[in-house]
Amino acid sequence: MKNFFTLLFTSILMQLAFSQINPIQNLLWEYEYLGTDGENYALYWDEPENPHNELLGYNIYRNNDFYRFQVETVLFCTIEFDCNDDNGFPFYGNGESFYAHVTAVYEGGIESEYIDSVFVDEPLLTTNDIRTSKLKIYPNPVQKTLYFGEKVFKISIFDLNGKIIQSVSKADFIDVSDFLKGNYIIFYTNSKGEKIEDRFIKK
């Protein structure tokens, strides 16, 4: 019995120690495609609520590949203002989509887990492959059924944390009545083969 309580106490202490390595909060990704002019983007987050130790900065990852370490809580590049990135973050591999996440780095090289990921889609290449939609998804905001106005293909819907909510091979409408209220990102291919990114609000 004594060994059992000793083991239990040790396990609780270890869980408390590891749980104090607090992650960053509220990871967000914003992107605006500007055609041949380029793009504006920002990956930003809040620092941990209760830092585990002296906070040194942050590690940024694309999928599981390390991208860079920095001390600021935003990675950005804009056309009109300035950049603290070399405009390389959206470009991954051969232009494929990826999930981005950020970990907190503490004194002693201790790194937190990550609790949020954001989805960065392949059209973030500065080419003419991505288009603003000439189709208008409607109604927006939507309560029950989201219409495209024509049959579209390879439909993927994500929440703002990068979690895929629904994927459909082809449709001319989507039933969103079971979706939680909030903002969603939708990617699809139109009848001309153009890749479209759009957003809608579920009310």
Side-chain angles (χ1 to χ4, degrees):
M1 183 65 76
K2 182 178 179 182
N3 288 339
F4 171 77
F5 283 113
T6 302
L7 183 61
L8 179 63
F9 182 72
T10 303
S11 175
I12 292 171
L13 284 178
M14 289 180 66
Q15 287 179 6
L16 288 173
F18 283 110
S19 67
Q20 292 174 352
I21 304 174
N22 291 319
I24 61 100
Q25 305 290 317
N26 304 319
L27 181 66
L28 293 172
W29 169 252
E30 291 186 355
Y31 177 79
E32 180 184 16
Y33 181 69
L34 302 175
T36 56
D37 292 332
E39 65 274 319
N40 295 332
Y41 62 83
L43 179 71
Y44 55 96
W45 58 92
D46 296 330
E47 64 181 41
E49 290 181 357
N50 299 300
H52 165 76
N53 202 337
E54 182 182 351
L55 183 63
L56 301 180
Y58 308 94
N59 284 339
I60 301 172
Y61 293 86
R62 298 182 294 191
N63 289 335
N64 293 319
D65 296 330
F66 176 74
Y67 178 64
R68 63 182 274 178
F69 169 84
Q70 66 177 52
V71 296
E72 303 92 351
T73 59
V74 61
L75 177 75
F76 70 96
C77 196
T78 66
I79 299 299
E80 295 181 4
F81 299 103
D82 201 359
C83 298
N84 70 349
D85 183 43
D86 61 1
N87 202 27
F89 180 73
F91 298 86
Y92 180 71
N94 294 314
E96 62 261 31
S97 307
F98 62 93
Y99 284 93
H101 55 268
V102 178
T103 61
V105 180
Y106 294 97
E107 186 178 25
I110 298 171
E111 186 175 8
S112 74
E113 296 291 323
Y114 62 90
I115 58 173
D116 286 334
S117 291
V118 292
F119 182 74
V120 180
D121 192 59
E122 61 177 343
L124 299 179
L125 294 171
T126 51
T127 69
N128 293 324
D129 288 343
I130 185 171
R131 314 261 180 190
T132 54
S133 178
K134 293 181 180 177
L135 296 174
K136 289 295 180 184
I137 54 176
Y138 64 92
N140 192 6
V142 58
Q143 189 167 9
K144 293 183 179 179
T145 306
L146 185 70
Y147 295 95
F148 296 99
E150 69 172 45
K151 193 174 292 295
V152 297
F153 307 89
K154 298 179 181 177
I155 306 156
S156 296
I157 301 174
F158 295 83
D159 66 18
L160 295 186
N161 290 321
K163 179 182 177 183
I164 188 161
I165 305 299
Q166 189 170 1
S167 183
V168 180
S169 59
K170 60 182 176 180
D172 51 11
F173 67 89
I174 295 284
D175 180 4
V176 298
S177 56
D178 292 334
F179 286 27
L180 297 176
K181 292 181 180 180
N183 294 279
Y184 293 88
I185 303 171
I186 184 167
F187 299 96
Y188 57 90
T189 302
N190 66 16
S191 58
K192 296 180 181 178
E194 298 169 333
K195 296 176 182 177
I196 307 295
E197 174 185 349
D198 216 331
R199 295 187 179 222
F200 67 90
I201 299 170
K202 169 65 169 64
K203 65 179 181 179

